Amino acid sequence: MEKRHCHEIPCSFSSLLFFLLFLSLHFPSSVYTLPKEYFISCGSNTTIFSAGRNFTGDSNSGNSLSFAIEGKSITVKDSNRSTKTPPLYQTARLFKQKSFYEFEIIISGTYLVRLHFFAFSSADNLSAAHFDVSASGFSLLNNFTLKNSISTSLIEEFFLSISIGKFSINFMPQGSSFAFVNAIEVFLAPEDFIPNDAPHISRAGSSNSNYEGILSKALQTIHRINVGGKDLTPENDTLWRFWVPDDSYIYMPATAKSSTFHSDKPNYLDGISEYIAPDLVYQTAKEMNISSDGPSNTFNITWSFNVSKNARHFVRVHFCDIISKTLGVLVFNLFIYSNFSIVIDPYDKTGQLAAPFYFDFVVDSDDSGVMNFSIGPRANSDEKTAFLNGLEIMQIVGESGSVSGTHKPKKTRIFVVVGSIVGGLGLIGILAVVIGLCLRYRKPKTVENWEWSPVAVHRRGSSHNRMPEGSVIGSRVPDLNLGLKIPFAEIQFATNNFDAKMIVGKGGFGHVFRGTLRNGIKVAVKRSQPGSGQGLSEFQTEIMVLSKIRHRHLVSLIGYCDEMSEMILVYEFMEKGTLRDHLYNSGLPSLSWRQRLEICIGAAKGLHYLHRGSAGGFIHRDIKSTNILLDEDLVAKVADFGLSRIGPPDQTHVSTGVKGTFGYLDPDYFRTQQLTEKSDVYSFGVVLLEVLCARPAINILLPREQVNLAEWGMICKKNGTLEQIVDPSIKSQINPNSLRKFAEIAEKCLQEYGADRPAMGDVQWDLEYALQLQQTATWREPHEDSATDASAMLGLPNIQRFPTLSMSVEKDDMPILREDSANIWASEVFSQLRIDDAR
């Protein structure tokens, strides 16, 4: 390489020139040194050392730093010095009127500005302060107060582009209140730390152009996340930043696992240094939770962050491939809001393992107040996994009053001086750089590889729900079946713009409307409403679960809509409504005993398929009469999978918080918090009694001993008044043997301990036998049934029960869904469609 340079200029000179210019062009951050100014301890007259910085007291008249305080202010001190309050937060400067700190800026560039607040105990109630903060035309804080943060310090961090000259931070009390601050940091960031432009992601997922003029704005740090790692404090960050773990932001935690890089240091490449993010961020990651014997998770990892609604954010996403064993095999997708995706190819970006890189975006938030990020494998990737190391979200909070949108920091650093010294030889030097770069060994590509692609749906053997490459899907929830998406306009048409006359039911999720699609299909439309008891998790659960199953006795999903923050599920319309509607309190004709048996058999078949079928392993967790629906031929179909969990047959239980509906809730599950498929069996046993006596599982209007249906049955047995629990409208229809068998089934289902209950397949078989007994009037052989008369039908065991209470317990994990069948395509769902009292 040097010999080629000798053709133009002497080797020694060209090499030196090449070296200097190469450094100036490619390693600006490598020569960055941590600044010593400005770090101000407000209200203090001493220098305080904190996390590697010396904070100079602003009351110290002997300080040599170039800053001043203008306006009327007083110093306040912590009145309780015996506390463990850090010294930096034991003093503050308080402003009764508009005042400001003024700093002398000698180098133009991007600056970090941090304002520290702590409402310590003093005669002035600092938590009552109410004020605004601005900085040289940037509006930083509006109507700021610490009323909700009085027990801990609060640091507000901003990135601002500041030119040479005077820079002021203004404190403006609101009304008769006051302002205060405990400490201030104003220091220069590494050169080009924040770009002036980045790909712009609109609410619709469009990224056709860059957003320009970032440097003319103020950026406020909202979230800084160390994915897969621990808390990082200023002591172990290169720019004295705080990073927090991602665990509280991750959706469906079981989809991810943490990974750690055990080498001493990541492999930093050109333009990337430890100042972008510290080593500890790049040495940890979250990756997809895949077991050694096959995937235990087939769904993307998703993080959700609270952000301001309808605002603009600068986002930096950090990657470092610490999980691959070889180069060039791992390629995956990054999704933002699930409607924009970019292909992440670590090898294409860096060319080596454990090499940090990052992507910057400007992202417009929607009106949900939540920003979602997901990662997931690509179909053509050799490795079906994905990873993320870190994430930063900064809100763009204001325009600069003195800096234009095309502002670039003035280059006043040493390498610009070197460039001016070489003067006329600069052009030759640049040519030398270009030639040298061309002759170097292959440099890893740095061109970002953008791709428009749909949200990944990880399934085998079906192309029914695959979207073509180049599609942009506006889905606010990842991993849904995109082939089932229905435009909001189509749903408006089907329901006559959600006409109140079309309402056929109401539950905790929202209203259920009857509708007709343009192709003539009758549908039930369940639309979420703000403040409903159900939400995003149950909405996503129903769709994901039903992408795995299909059965005659499970209600079919026609589609869903999640446009404009709507959560709408569209099902086949069940003409006859709920089983409960036909048992009591509806005025509908009474069902015959034979019809009731057939309905119970159909529901049992659906549950058996759910537990052990080709897509089996699901536990419904909310079986009740309102979640068993009837079509126009009275064919039963199980509904409502919003609370479902996976419970594969080879597992004994799933440990989880208790959810369900009291009266149907398995006491063994309630006691141990260990969910099994036998929990559904218990609930189904309660439904059997409900079918038999045509009354609710819980009726608080009845005398105390009759409130709980199962307990009431035991009392009737003890008192010899069993006839009270049989629906009078069917007493004369029931064959005694059929009734005896039915009571036996209910008794088995309602055993106190799950291990003593039958599987749903056995329940289905016994119900079919009870129907056979009803149809044929065949008496069982003595060895098959020792009962001698029908009055023994409700000889129920003495089942332990628990106090009445609502069992919609706090937020629980979403189910982890498996991919069991190559031939199952998403077309089924479980949800109440005509319910008056459902969730």
Side-chain angles (χ1 to χ4, degrees), residues 18 157 162 391 403 460 536 582 660 668 694 761 837:
F18 175 88
E157 180 186 271
I162 307 175
L391 184 68
V403 183
R460 297 187 299 268
L536 179 62
H582 293 267
D668 200 12
D837 67 343

Side-chain angles (χ1 to χ4, degrees), residues 764-776:
Q764 174 192 328
W765 189 94
D766 285 342
L767 286 171
E768 288 173 336
Y769 187 72
L771 176 60
Q772 189 178 51
L773 290 173
Q774 177 67 22
Q775 292 173 324
T776 64

Side-chain angles (χ1 to χ4, degrees), residues 203 307-311 337 364-371 476 562-566:
R203 295 178 182 88
V307 296
S308 297
K309 297 180 180 180
N310 302 311
Y337 269 127
D364 295 342
S365 61
D366 58 22
D367 58 1
S368 68
V370 176
M371 185 175 291
R476 64 191 294 264
D562 60 356
E563 296 177 18
M564 298 179 290
S565 298
E566 293 278 356

Side-chain angles (χ1 to χ4, degrees), residues 104-222:
E104 187 71 31
I105 301 299
I106 60 174
I107 300 177
S108 296
T110 298
Y111 280 74
L112 278 86
V113 176
R114 295 193 185 113
L115 307 175
H116 296 247
F117 303 98
F118 181 72
F120 55 69
S121 176
S122 69
D124 299 282
N125 183 9
L126 298 183
S127 63
H130 189 198
F131 55 97
D132 298 337
V133 180
S134 64
S136 295
F138 294 100
S139 177
L140 303 185
L141 299 173
N142 292 312
N143 297 317
F144 182 76
T145 182
L146 262 74
K147 288 183 179 179
N148 298 323
S149 304
I150 60 175
S151 61
T152 184
S153 61
L154 179 64
I155 302 174
E156 297 288 354
E157 180 186 271
F158 303 87
F159 288 85
L160 289 80
S161 293
I162 307 175
S163 298
I164 294 175
K166 302 293 186 181
F167 170 71
S168 61
I169 300 179
N170 306 286
F171 295 86
M172 295 159 285
Q174 289 286 320
S176 59
S177 187
F178 58 92
F180 80 97
V181 62
N182 299 85
I184 298 175
E185 300 175 61
V186 179
F187 65 93
L188 184 65
E191 190 171 2
D192 298 327
F193 189 82
I194 300 293
N196 192 52
D197 58 83
H200 182 203
I201 313 301
S202 69
R203 295 178 182 88
S206 173
S207 182
N208 297 325
S209 62
N210 278 5
Y211 179 91
E212 296 186 357
I214 298 174
L215 294 176
S216 68
K217 308 296 191 296
L219 308 180
Q220 181 179 12
T221 302
I222 306 299

Side-chain angles (χ1 to χ4, degrees), residues 401-542:
S402 58
V403 183
S404 68
T406 59
H407 167 74
K408 292 281 187 177
K410 296 179 181 179
K411 307 299 182 180
T412 59
R413 303 188 186 183
I414 184 169
F415 290 113
V416 176
V417 176
V418 172
S420 63
I421 292 175
V422 299
L425 296 177
L427 179 59
I428 299 175
I430 294 174
L431 292 175
V433 171
V434 174
I435 295 172
L437 290 176
C438 293
L439 295 177
R440 291 177 65 185
Y441 58 87
R442 178 182 178 272
K443 181 180 175 67
K445 297 178 182 178
T446 58
V447 178
E448 297 176 354
N449 184 14
W450 298 91
E451 175 178 325
W452 297 103
S453 63
V455 178
V457 180
H458 310 299
R459 303 229 326 267
R460 297 187 299 268
S462 172
S463 60
H464 175 79
N465 59 4
R466 297 185 186 276
M467 299 295 288
E469 291 292 332
S471 299
V472 180
I473 304 299
S475 174
R476 64 191 294 264
V477 184
D479 300 315
L480 301 189
N481 187 328
L482 302 180
L484 297 178
K485 288 202 69 171
I486 298 178
F488 184 69
E490 176 67 20
I491 297 175
Q492 285 181 303
F493 172 84
T495 60
N496 194 21
N497 197 22
F498 301 101
D499 189 340
K501 296 178 182 179
M502 309 289 279
I503 295 176
V504 294
K506 182 180 180 181
F509 187 89
H511 289 98
V512 180
F513 298 82
R514 180 172 184 163
T516 304
L517 299 177
R518 297 179 194 273
N519 58 9
I521 296 178
K522 293 182 179 180
V523 294
V525 177
K526 189 170 73 170
R527 184 189 192 192
S528 173
Q529 61 185 15
S532 66
Q534 294 171 261
L536 179 62
S537 62
E538 295 185 24
F539 174 75
Q540 184 178 18
T541 301
E542 293 204 31

Side-chain angles (χ1 to χ4, degrees), residues 369-380:
V370 176
M371 185 175 291
N372 296 321
F373 297 85
S374 302
I375 55 173
R378 288 179 54 78
N380 59 354

Side-chain angles (χ1 to χ4, degrees), residues 266-269 272 282 319-322 346 350-357:
N267 300 315
Y268 292 103
L269 300 178
I272 305 290
Y282 292 125
F319 299 97
C320 183
D321 188 0
I322 61 174
T350 68
Q352 59 181 286
L353 298 178
F357 63 98

Side-chain angles (χ1 to χ4, degrees), residues 795-839:
L796 300 179
N798 185 16
I799 301 172
Q800 179 184 359
R801 286 178 172 78
F802 297 84
T804 301
L805 73 163
S806 171
M807 293 315 302
S808 291
V809 183
E810 295 296 323
K811 177 182 177 183
D812 193 18
D813 294 340
M814 287 282 293
I816 310 306
L817 307 182
R818 298 186 301 135
E819 188 171 342
D820 291 305
S821 172
N823 299 315
I824 303 300
W825 56 276
S827 63
E828 307 283 338
V829 79
F830 306 81
S831 181
Q832 66 278 6
L833 303 187
R834 294 184 61 186
I835 300 173
D836 296 323
D837 67 343
R839 294 175 296 107

